[in-house]
């Protein structure tokens, strides 16, 4: 049971340290809102359901981009390659024109930005938004998805303990 006494003992830095040891992939969640592209870097993107095909991501309640994506009703998640750390940092900043100099094309299903060079793209319509503590969980129904032809040899951008893990060899499945 969560009580006031538990809340007083809660250590935010320990929470971040412990959960920061869970390595995640990194995406850019993007949309077009009021005729302009909008997006942010996100490491909480996940597959949610096969039937129906659903994905989710979490966005901070303080985000100014999150509500624009929600109001648009659609988003595209671009899964980033290991060499796209600088691109990701650009989308992690507030206030700047994050799309300045970024190569992107509208996704076929929703028109949301599909960022060039990614490992994969998942185009979605928003199904629901769930308040969750200081974040919101956005659930999207997949309307289209793809991988570029050259993605098989590329490695993903990974986030671990507050930093990116750079281009490194990721071992394949263990031999049986």
């Amino acid at each position: 049971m969560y009580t006031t006494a538990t809340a007083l003992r809660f250590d935010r830095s320990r929470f971040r340290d412990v959960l920061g040891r869970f390595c995640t992939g990194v995406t850019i969640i993007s949309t077009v809102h009021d005729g302009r592209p909008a997006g942010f870097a996100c490491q909480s993107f996940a597959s949610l359901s096969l039937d129906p095909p659903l994905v989710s991501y979490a966005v901070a309640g303080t985000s100014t981009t999150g509500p624009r994506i929600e109001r648009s009703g659609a988003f595209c998640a671009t899964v980033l390659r290991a060499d796209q750390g600088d691109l990701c940092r650009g989308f992690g900043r507030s206030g700047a024109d994050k799309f300045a100099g970024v190569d992107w094309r509208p996704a076929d299903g929703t028109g949301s930005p599909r960022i060039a060079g990614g490992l994969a793209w998942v185009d979605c319509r928003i199904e629901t938004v769930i308040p969750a503590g200081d974040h919101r969980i956005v659930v999207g129904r997949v309307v289209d998805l793809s991988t570029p032809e050259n993605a098989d040899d590329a490695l993903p951008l990974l986030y671990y303990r507050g930093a990116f893990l750079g281009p490194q060899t990721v071992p394949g499945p263990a031999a049986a």
Side-chain angles (χ1 to χ4, degrees):
M1 173 182 229
Y2 190 77
T3 65
T4 303
T6 304
L8 293 174
R9 288 192 311 259
F10 184 77
D11 181 342
R12 286 176 173 241
S13 64
R14 181 167 184 239
F15 184 83
R16 291 178 75 121
D17 178 58
V18 170
L19 293 180
R21 293 166 194 267
F22 177 67
C23 186
T24 65
V26 185
T27 62
I28 292 175
I29 305 294
S30 58
T31 196
V32 174
H33 178 258
D34 288 341
R36 298 191 57 186
F40 68 96
C42 177
Q43 82 273 4
S44 64
F45 178 77
S47 170
L48 188 60
S49 169
L50 285 172
D51 189 15
L54 300 174
V55 295
S56 67
Y57 69 86
V59 60
T62 57
S63 170
T64 57
T65 304
R68 289 185 286 179
I69 293 171
E70 293 163 26
R71 284 192 297 272
S72 78
F75 66 91
C76 185
T78 300
V79 179
L80 299 182
R81 279 191 337 253
D83 61 355
Q84 291 181 303
D86 287 340
L87 176 69
C88 184
R89 282 184 199 88
F91 276 85
R93 288 193 286 263
S94 294
D97 178 2
K98 298 173 188 178
F99 280 86
V102 173
D103 185 15
W104 66 275
R105 303 285 181 271
D108 292 338
T110 68
S112 297
R114 204 173 85 167
I115 297 172
L119 286 178
W121 301 273
V122 184
D123 194 25
C124 304
R125 297 224 180 268
I126 294 176
E127 285 274 306
T128 191
V129 179
I130 305 160
D134 60 0
H135 279 64
R136 290 183 312 281
I137 299 169
V138 178
V139 176
R141 182 179 292 257
V142 177
V143 297
D144 194 16
L145 67 168
S146 64
T147 59
E149 289 180 22
N150 62 349
D152 287 346
D153 294 331
L155 298 174
L157 181 62
L158 300 174
Y159 191 74
Y160 179 72
R161 297 188 75 187
F164 297 128
L165 296 181
Q168 300 172 14
T169 301
V170 177

